[in-house]
Every structure is written in C-alpha cells, then in structure tokens.
Amino acid sequence: MFDKIYDVIVVGGGHAGSEAAAAAANMGSSTLLVTMNLQNIAQMSCNPAMGGIAKGQIVREIDALGGYSGIVSDTSAIQFKMLNKSKGPAMWSPRVQSDRMRFAEDWRLLLEQTKNLDFYQEMVTGLVIKGDEVTGVKTSLGLEIRAKTVVLTNGTFLNGLIHIGNKNFGGGRAGEKAATGITEQLVDLGFESGRMKTGTPPRVDGRSLDFSKMIEQPGDAVPEKFSYSDITKPLTTQRPCHMSYTSLEVHNLLREGFDRSPMFNGRIQSLGPRYCPSIEDKINRFADKDRHQIFVEPEGWNTVEYYINGFSTSLPEDVQFKALSAVKGFENVKFFRPGYAIEYDYFPPTQLTHSLETKLVKGLYFAGQINGTTGYEEAASQGLMAGINASLKVQEKEPFILKRNEAYIGVLIDDLITKGTDEPYRMFTSRAEYRTLLRQDNADIRLTPKGYELGIASEKRLKRMEEKLSKAEAFVGFFRTQSVKPEEANPVLESKDSQPIRQSDKMFKIFSRPNIGIEDVRKFEAVEAYIQSNDLDNEVIEQAEIQVKYSGYIAKEKLNADKLTRLEYVKIPSGYDYSQIKSMSYEAREKLKKIQPTTVAQASRISGVSPNDISVLLVYMGR
C-alpha cells in the first residue's frame, strides 16, 4: 500500500474524517483513512448524542445525500426525541441519545464494509507538497504516502493542550496524545492559524446517583428515526435521561476554585463555544441566575457511566467533585473522570473555497474543527462535502456546492467561507434565512437526487423518496379537490373552538386553519378511507400536512429565495482586481481581495461589504 498513489487520503478518523472517507470511497476513489488510533474511529469525544436544534436537520441532510451519520445514529440510539414540536415544522429537530461504544463500533464496521477504502494507524506529521499542489502525507515513522488529494480532519488534535485547574498537558482528548508538525508546516506555507478551546464535563458512576431526586426525561412516546432508508427501524424501547439543578451553594463552591481556573487566571486565551459555555463561565456571565439545569445522560444501554451535560468545566478536580456533590441526587457521586478544557489549532476558513479546498494549496481540503466549527454534526457534514469534492477533483469534474436555499450544510459552509469565525461556530435555525424550506422532514426530497447523481445515494433510496413525494402530492391534491359537508365538518370544528361552516367547503381550506390538525381531519370518513386505501405511512401523512398548513409560507419563501439567489449566478472572474474600483469603500476592497468570492451573492454576504459596494461592483462588471 505504501507504493500506491491514492486518489484521496483522509487524515483523522473522527466524524468529519469518517464521512469524508466513506463519501470518497463510495464515489469510486481509492481512499486511505489515516488515524492515530483505529480503535477510536468516530469516537464521541463529548456528549453521547446526535442531532438537536438545527443539528438534527444536518444529520438528515447527510443521510439524504448518502452519508452514514443518520444510519449509525439509528443503530446506536437509546432514546429519540423530536425537539420543538410545539413550534412550526421549520423548527422541528430530531435528536438521539446514543450508545457511545456502539456508535463507534457501528461506524467502524460500516467503513470496513465500504469498497475502495484502506486504513492505516499512525500520526501524520506533515504534507508532501510540490509547487502549489499536495502530493501526499508524511508520517511519524518517516513514511511518505502519495495521493492526488488530501483531506485534513484533525479535530482538536493539532497541538492540543488539555487543562484541568493549574495542570495542563498535551493531548487531543483524554488519554490520547496531540498531533504535531502539520500546523507549523502550513504556517510556513503562508496559512493563517489561530487557537480555539472547547470543554467537556465529568463522567460519573450511575450507581452512585440517586435518580429519585431528579426529574425523569423520557424519549418520545412514538419515536421516529434519523435515516430515510428502510435499513433502520425506530426504537421500541428507550433509556430515560434525568435532570437536576445547580444551586447557590453549588455556585459558591465553584467560585472557590476560580483563582485556579485556567479560564480566569489567563492561562487560556482562546475563545470557547459561545452557546455551550462551561459551568464556571455560566455562573460568571449569568450571576443573577441562582440555578442552572444539569442533564444526566446515560452513555449506553448497559454501561453505568453517565455524562453530566451542562457541567462542562476545567476547574481543579477537587473543586469539581465538591461542587457536583452538592447537586441534588449527586450527594454520593463517584467520578469516572473529571471534566477538562482543551485548546487546539484551527485555520480561519476564509482561506478555503466553497468546495473546502484551500486557496493556497491545490488538492488540499479542510473539514471539521480545523475550520473553527464545534459539534459532531457540523464536522460530519463538512467531511462529507470535502470527501465528495476531493473525489470530484480526481475525476476532473466541477465541485459540488450546496447553496443557502438548498441545505443547512450550504448555510454552514457559506458562513464559514464568507464570514469566517473567531469563535467555535455552531449551527442554529436562526442562521438559515430559508429555514421554512430547509426542514428536517424534506431533506430527502431536497438532496437525495443530488446524492444519487454523485453516486453515493442508491437508486433504491431515490425511488423511495420519489414514491413518498408522489404520494404526499397526491394527498395534498385530494384535500384541494374534496369537499366536506357542514354536518360532518362542524362537530370537529366546534370541538376545536373553530368557526363552523354553513355550506360544503374544500377540505384544504378547513385543514389550513391554525387549530386543525391531521388527527382532526382524519375524522372525516373520506380522509381516513383515502389513507387506508393508499397505504399512507406517517412520513407521507406528515409531509402532506406540512404542505397544506404551511403552503403560503413555503410559497412566499421560495419566491424570496428565487429573487435573492439570482445573484448566485452572477460569477466574478477568478483573480478579479478590486483595486481598480476606487468608488468602492477601502474595507470592501480589502475584504473582497482577501476572500475572493466566486459570485456577487457571496460578495454581498461578506461583513463590511455594503449594498452600495455591490452596486458599484455590478457596474464595473458591466451588469
């Protein structure tokens, strides 16, 4: 294998690396996954869960394109919840609690069954570069493995430094050494690098906890699943999580250790995730709060290890133990390991193109936390896209780029490339201006045809999606054409305090009322008969309901998207000389020169580029 020239080498076996390797191999590229420890492929370094607000949409999108994250989330799930069900469907977000050990095992086995994929365990310490192109990687044993493209997915391992109180030591995560050499080489090549931090909470022995003092958090009564494929099934049994609270006593105990906290004594200078702060950061920033939620999450079906979500910390271990022991239900807590913070190198993503290829070195791609993101889901989606585009480059095809109105993945990458980030980037529904279109329920309709064209989504998946869409559209058509008489409709309407009708009316109009749901219209004889005779499953019924009840919003957002994306097709020539545009602001010229947007729409989203600057640019481009 050492004398072989691979199409794609993926460095790192986390969530980004695993998706990148799977995508490239499934597209027919000879692929090598190089990682420091093959036993830790797709390791859940932090919380044992996948999905959540906006993140669940990303996992659905990965699955729709043909990635593996959704399948593994299903096969390793111990609990399923659809979050935000009380809100509109644009906000619904699936989340699973995972069996940590099974998740990694299932990923490993899936990758081993993937054709065109080889594995090698060793540290990559550098890249082989000729001119402005990458031609392979160097390992700690001095080996040079050649490749046409390389995808770096180093996670928190690049010069990783772990902090617990006054102690610090090199490491990519607990029990694993840091990776060295790559940052220094890239900086020498002209790349800009920075430092970020993240943290993790203590893991504890569930046998030492008193769950009777906590609030049980069960999964959904009727659980769904992540993957659109029929190879996984919804859970039939689930494990509950629990919730407790900190208190003023807990906060005071934590404050006693602030003088030894690397966050407050200046030893950690880098920024951590704004929306996932440490417990010490929470009680410092929100001093008016006398308590914070603590979620007690099981690590698997059978293990007694629990993850204490909401108690991320880098305080000294004795302070952690003393404070956590004061939380209700934790009086006799036993630690498996303390929480810690970790600092690591990243590279501002404005140095990449939308394909995730670096601008300085051809054939070199970055994906995951190396780009300044946080979260398994954000990393996995970047890995998928980098693997796809590395394979396409080898095939001498155009890169695959998702637009902001096509996927949350498109929003994520466009935000990174166009705006950059100086703190760990996390996806939220609020970041997507077209979130009514980018729902978790229609990711397959949006993206499976694209995955099929790329060769990573199967024909079976495509046909299943087409059947779902056809049945849903026919069901919506049924509501548009069928009428219901007052004597049948009014008892249902009156039971929901909805205005009765005086004459027959279209079911679509009645169904569109805000307080009328699918369970209400199923009381109409013709509706239930249609469902039964056409063998409609819950997925089709839900899709039809959304199309009926939110048709106005969806149509309006599509119209806005069409208007705003016209500029996506106005290309800016490569290497465009912005210095000639004297009537454009100096800041705009500098930002455009640095980021080198490929379209006018991308240019318009760059911070510091005003609408007037865009108007001037269009004039100079002769538009």
Side-chain angles (χ1 to χ4, degrees):
M1 62 184 285
F2 300 127
D3 58 353
K4 179 177 181 178
I5 300 177
Y6 284 94
D7 291 327
V8 182
I9 289 179
V10 177
V11 179
H15 298 262
S18 296
E19 285 288 6
N26 282 326
M27 290 176 67
S29 295
S30 60
T31 306
L32 176 67
L33 176 61
V34 187
T35 184
M36 292 165 65
N37 190 343
L38 285 171
Q39 304 309 311
N40 292 336
I41 281 179
Q43 175 83 0
M44 289 181 139
S45 307
C46 201
N47 62 318
M50 287 290 284
I53 308 300
K55 293 168 174 278
Q57 284 88 326
I58 289 176
V59 177
R60 283 267 167 96
E61 290 178 351
I62 292 169
D63 181 76
L65 283 166
Y68 289 168
S69 288
I71 292 171
V72 176
S73 294
D74 286 343
T75 59
S76 62
I78 62 175
Q79 186 192 94
F80 182 95
K81 272 190 175 182
M82 184 66 75
L83 306 181
N84 282 343
K85 258 299 202 182
S86 61
K87 300 180 181 180
M91 305 298 287
W92 298 352
S93 301
R95 181 183 189 270
V96 294
Q97 199 69 31
S98 303
D99 185 311
R100 185 190 298 276
M101 290 183 283
R102 184 176 292 183
F103 185 92
E105 179 186 26
D106 288 355
W107 250 113
R108 168 76 179 259
L109 295 177
L110 263 179
L111 289 173
E112 287 185 358
Q113 294 162 23
T114 302
K115 292 180 180 179
N116 307 312
L117 181 57
D118 292 342
F119 303 87
Y120 186 60
Q121 178 173 296
E122 204 190 329
M123 182 195 294
V124 170
T125 56
L127 303 167
V128 182
I129 294 173
K130 292 184 179 178
D132 62 350
E133 293 186 29
V134 69
T135 60
V137 300
K138 299 175 184 177
T139 74
S140 56
L141 289 177
L143 295 173
E144 287 194 6
I145 309 175
R146 293 179 294 170
K148 298 172 184 175
T149 60
V150 173
V151 182
L152 293 184
T153 69
N154 302 81
T156 59
F157 282 77
L158 290 179
N159 293 321
L161 186 64
I162 292 173
H163 296 268
I164 303 176
N166 291 325
K167 304 162 188 153
N168 65 69
F169 48 91
R173 58 182 164 224
E176 296 181 68
K177 62 184 178 181
T180 57
I182 292 177
T183 296
E184 294 75 12
Q185 182 186 12
L186 290 174
V187 170
D188 286 344
L189 287 167
F191 284 89
E192 176 191 351
S193 71
R195 294 284 276 178
M196 283 188 177
K197 87 158 185 81
T198 189
T200 193
R203 312 303 203 272
V204 307
D205 189 334
R207 296 170 298 183
S208 66
L209 305 181
D210 186 350
F211 293 105
S212 67
K213 295 181 179 180
M214 305 178 195
I215 303 165
E216 186 172 311
Q217 303 281 296
D220 288 349
V222 183
E224 299 177 40
K225 63 191 186 79
F226 261 117
S227 181
Y228 291 102
S229 70
D230 55 6
I231 62 175
T232 63
K233 303 295 179 186
L235 289 168
T236 53
T237 58
Q238 302 183 70
R239 278 202 75 177
C241 297
H242 290 80
M243 183 173 71
S244 189
Y245 290 92
T246 61
S247 63
L248 289 176
E249 179 192 3
V250 174
H251 296 179
N252 288 331
L253 289 169
L254 288 165
R255 287 189 181 98
E256 289 178 9
F258 277 13
D259 61 328
R260 291 188 286 158
S261 167
M263 277 188 55
F264 295 114
N265 63 20
R267 286 183 42 235
I268 291 181
Q269 297 288 334
S270 46
L271 290 173
R274 178 188 299 265
Y275 302 101
C276 190
S278 65
I279 187 65
E280 55 263 42
D281 197 23
K282 279 194 280 191
I283 64 175
N284 185 54
R285 282 166 52 189
F286 308 107
D288 57 318
K289 304 285 185 184
D290 57 9
R291 69 175 190 171
H292 294 285
Q293 292 176 329
I294 299 293
F295 294 97
V296 187
E297 302 177 343
E299 296 260 343
W301 283 113
N302 302 311
T303 181
V304 298
E305 186 175 359
Y306 277 75
Y307 176 91
I308 312 306
N309 198 340
F311 208 87
S312 176
T313 180
S314 59
L315 285 165
E317 61 273 20
D318 59 318
V319 176
Q320 295 185 35
F321 180 76
K322 192 175 180 181
L324 194 55
S325 297
V327 174
K328 191 176 290 187
F330 285 79
E331 294 82 359
N332 300 306
V333 67
K334 294 179 181 179
F335 273 33
F336 273 14
R337 75 167 193 242
Y340 62 86
I342 180 168
E343 287 187 286
Y344 56 93
D345 294 338
Y346 86 104
F347 292 83
T350 50
Q351 300 171 101
L352 307 176
T353 68
H354 274 76
S355 68
L356 299 180
E357 185 179 17
T358 68
K359 295 173 182 176
L360 284 176
V361 179
K362 295 175 183 177
L364 178 62
Y365 296 77
F366 292 172
Q369 285 176 283
I370 193 173
N371 289 336
T373 61
T374 180
Y376 306 145
E377 302 83 0
E378 289 89 343
S381 66
Q382 292 172 71
L384 177 75
M385 296 298 284
I388 289 170
N389 282 315
S391 185
L392 288 173
K393 188 175 186 70
V394 172
Q395 297 171 23
E396 299 182 349
K397 294 180 180 178
E398 287 295 308
F400 175 63
I401 295 168
L402 289 168
K403 295 193 286 291
R404 295 181 72 91
N405 65 326
E406 293 179 320
Y408 270 91
I409 298 173
V411 175
L412 166 68
I413 293 175
D414 185 65
D415 277 356
L416 292 174
I417 306 311
T418 304
K419 301 173 183 177
T421 186
D422 56 8
E423 62 182 55
Y425 178 103
R426 178 180 176 182
M427 179 53 71
F428 291 100
T429 50
S430 59
R431 295 190 189 272
E433 61 270 42
Y434 307 118
R435 54 187 170 274
T436 305
L437 302 179
L438 309 182
R439 306 182 310 277
Q440 56 82 31
D441 62 272
N442 71 350
D444 57 339
I445 295 170
R446 290 184 279 121
L447 299 176
T448 296
K450 296 179 185 293
Y452 176 72
E453 287 177 14
L454 289 165
I456 52 176
S458 67
E459 185 177 5
K460 184 179 180 182
R461 271 180 176 260
L462 180 67
K463 288 183 177 178
R464 189 172 188 274
M465 180 281 295
E466 290 173 340
E467 183 182 5
K468 166 188 167 180
L469 180 60
S470 176
K471 284 186 172 183
E473 288 177 342
F475 197 22
V476 172
F478 166 83
F479 284 110
R480 290 188 185 278
T481 57
Q482 294 298 307
S483 298
V484 61
K485 295 179 179 178
E487 53 266 32
E488 187 176 14
N490 286 341
V492 173
L493 296 175
E494 289 164 359
S495 70
K496 302 303 292 277
D497 295 324
S498 190
Q499 185 71 28
I501 58 176
R502 295 182 179 178
Q503 59 187 23
S504 293
D505 208 345
K506 294 296 185 202
M507 288 186 183
F508 188 95
K509 190 175 178 181
I510 291 171
F511 197 5
S512 297
R513 295 188 184 189
N515 54 343
I516 302 298
I518 186 64
E519 294 307 317
D520 299 310
V521 295
R522 287 187 76 159
K523 293 173 183 176
F524 302 157
E525 186 178 336
V527 174
E528 189 60 30
Y530 185 94
I531 290 172
Q532 298 301 326
S533 62
N534 289 278
D535 193 26
L536 303 187
D537 59 23
N538 289 334
E539 206 174 316
V540 171
I541 294 169
E542 179 185 80
Q543 185 64 215
E545 180 178 20
I546 291 168
Q547 292 297 330
V548 171
K549 298 190 70 61
Y550 296 90
S551 57
Y553 297 103
I554 293 169
K556 185 177 180 181
E557 195 154 286
K558 280 182 178 176
L559 184 63
N560 288 337
D562 290 342
K563 288 179 180 178
L564 292 171
T565 54
R566 285 172 191 164
L567 292 179
E568 295 285 0
Y569 298 99
V570 182
K571 302 289 186 182
I572 300 176
S574 177
Y576 192 80
D577 182 12
Y578 297 100
S579 61
Q580 65 175 314
I581 312 179
K582 302 302 181 185
S583 50
M584 181 183 284
S585 70
Y586 177 79
E587 181 184 5
R589 291 200 304 270
E590 289 299 300
K591 292 282 184 67
L592 291 166
K593 184 179 178 181
K594 178 182 179 182
I595 294 173
Q596 288 291 315
T598 56
T599 68
V600 172
Q602 184 195 348
S604 71
R605 293 190 290 269
I606 297 172
S607 176
V609 178
S610 70
N612 182 65
D613 294 321
I614 294 300
S615 296
V616 172
L617 175 61
L618 286 169
V619 169
Y620 268 79
M621 290 178 62
R623 303 290 296 192

